[in-house]
Amino acid sequence: NGVERFWAGMTAARSAPVRPDDPYAHVSLPLLYAVPPDEPDSAPGTASRYAVEAATQAIADAGLDTAARQRMAVVVGTGMGDASRYDHWRVDGFPAGDRWLPAFVVGSEVGERLGATGPNTSISNACAASGCALSMAADMIRLGEADVVLAVGAEAYSRVALACFDRMGALDPQRCRPFARDRLGTVFGEGAAALVLESTEHASARGVSTVYARVAGAGWSCDAYHPTAPEPAGTQIARAMADALTDAGASVDQVGCVVPHGTGTELNDRIESDAITGVLGMRTPEIPLYSLKALIGHTGGAAGAMAAVAATLILHRGTVPGNVTMAEQDPGCAVWLPQAATPLAGRYAMINAYAFGGNNISLVLDGAR
């Protein structure tokens, strides 16, 4: 909990999933990278609680006063939202006349709890959600729709989501092992990440002393190939990456790190590796990949925001931490996953987030001051 502990975990490169504390999770592979239990909170659900905690930390770090928060916009990306409430209601009984939608309550909860009375919107296109939220937040700044935007990704344990992935045979029985030869699927993770965005002019006017990074470019695409499987050629994945670089005005030679989507499923890792190789070309063996999901699991709709925080810290500290150790890398995934810390050799970091339905987004962050 907190940016410093998050970075410490990244540099330690050790973690393992646990069995969720859910007696009704009757699935064959019940593993989860779980957030440790915390104090009770009045938020309506677990994802909202995580989102409010991360947002509160981000607001404090940004030094936003009450007046600035009142004008602040909120964009939340989540896949399942507070679906855990439905898990409980299926056991305890549903409230009468319920019209409650779990994915969209998270944004309203963040806005209400933090006193943000600007535009409040939610994006719920599965595992690309918070990557798209970050891109939308940057667009709102550039278009003058808000002075400050809080971009949040949040996801919590959902019995339904776990059961669906178990039914599809998409879960790994040991841990999340992206790009490993022996990978067998993904493993879910919980958590939330929040980033405060504002223009350079607005930040300068209020005397901001620390700028971590800049959202330099974004590329969106959708291949619409299959409800769950990625398009085998990875054409639209590569397009999103190339469009993000073009939008940022960044050359391949300036990319210092990639935080891939890398779920640990057989198709995703191979197709993404090929796309990275195609876009980055001859530089691919030189550019380190940081596999965040090997550390914290697949955080679903929060994955893009989590990757953005990881990439921002890498840019800000000038170091790519060593990846979680794997037994053997898949020779079909021709990318570099350093096992030891590596100096950052480039001003830009790229983030990929992909989702069911063929939704793809790539973001390029600029670490230059």
Side-chain angles (χ1 to χ4, degrees), residues 125-202:
N125 56 343
C127 302
S130 59
C132 295
L134 184 58
S135 177
M136 182 179 286
D139 285 344
M140 293 175 74
I141 296 293
R142 292 176 180 131
L143 294 172
E145 295 174 350
D147 294 332
V148 180
V149 184
L150 180 68
V152 184
E155 207 73 275
Y157 168 72
S158 162
R159 187 187 310 138
V160 169
L162 180 65
C164 288
F165 271 71
D166 183 72
R167 188 72 174 267
M168 288 190 295
L171 297 177
D172 194 294
Q174 296 183 27
R175 60 185 181 90
C176 195
R177 298 177 282 184
F179 308 103
R181 180 193 282 272
D182 57 355
R183 68 188 186 278
L184 293 171
T186 196
V187 178
F188 279 130
E190 296 183 300
L195 302 97
V196 173
L197 282 77
E198 57 189 316
S199 68
T200 302
E201 294 76 16
H202 189 271

Side-chain angles (χ1 to χ4, degrees), residues 193-291:
L195 302 97
V196 173
L197 282 77
E198 57 189 316
S199 68
T200 302
E201 294 76 16
H202 189 271
S204 298
R206 68 182 190 88
V208 169
S209 58
T210 301
V211 177
Y212 293 102
R214 180 174 66 95
V215 180
W220 298 52
S221 72
C222 182
D223 55 59
Y225 169 76
H226 187 272
T228 60
E231 190 269 318
T235 304
Q236 295 302 321
I237 287 175
R239 174 191 165 195
M241 296 172 63
D243 286 354
L245 287 170
T246 300
D247 191 36
S251 67
V252 170
D253 292 340
Q254 294 173 303
V255 177
C257 177
V258 176
V259 182
H261 187 58
T263 59
T265 58
E266 181 180 356
L267 285 177
N268 176 89
D269 294 1
R270 179 179 54 77
I271 293 169
E272 184 176 13
S273 296
D274 290 345
I276 291 172
T277 302
V279 172
L280 301 182
M282 295 297 293
R283 280 215 63 218
T284 303
E286 305 171 6
I287 301 176
L289 267 62
Y290 180 70
S291 177

Side-chain angles (χ1 to χ4, degrees), residues 14-108:
R14 294 189 305 271
S15 74
V18 297
R19 187 184 182 99
D21 184 17
D22 181 358
Y24 299 100
H26 302 306
V27 297
S28 59
L29 298 174
L31 292 177
L32 176 73
Y33 289 85
V35 171
D38 56 5
E39 294 300 316
D41 189 276
S42 58
T46 311
S48 287
R49 188 163 71 247
Y50 296 163
V52 169
E53 172 62 25
T56 301
Q57 293 178 22
I59 292 300
D61 188 46
L64 291 170
D65 59 22
T66 302
R69 292 200 302 272
Q70 289 175 343
R71 297 189 300 271
M72 181 175 66
V74 175
V75 187
V76 171
T78 183
M80 299 297 293
D82 279 333
S84 60
R85 294 193 74 188
Y86 274 108
D87 290 343
H88 293 298
W89 288 340
R90 287 185 180 96
V91 176
D92 300 333
F94 282 79
D98 174 59
R99 292 292 185 270
W100 186 82
L101 296 174
F104 303 107
V105 71
V106 180
S108 58

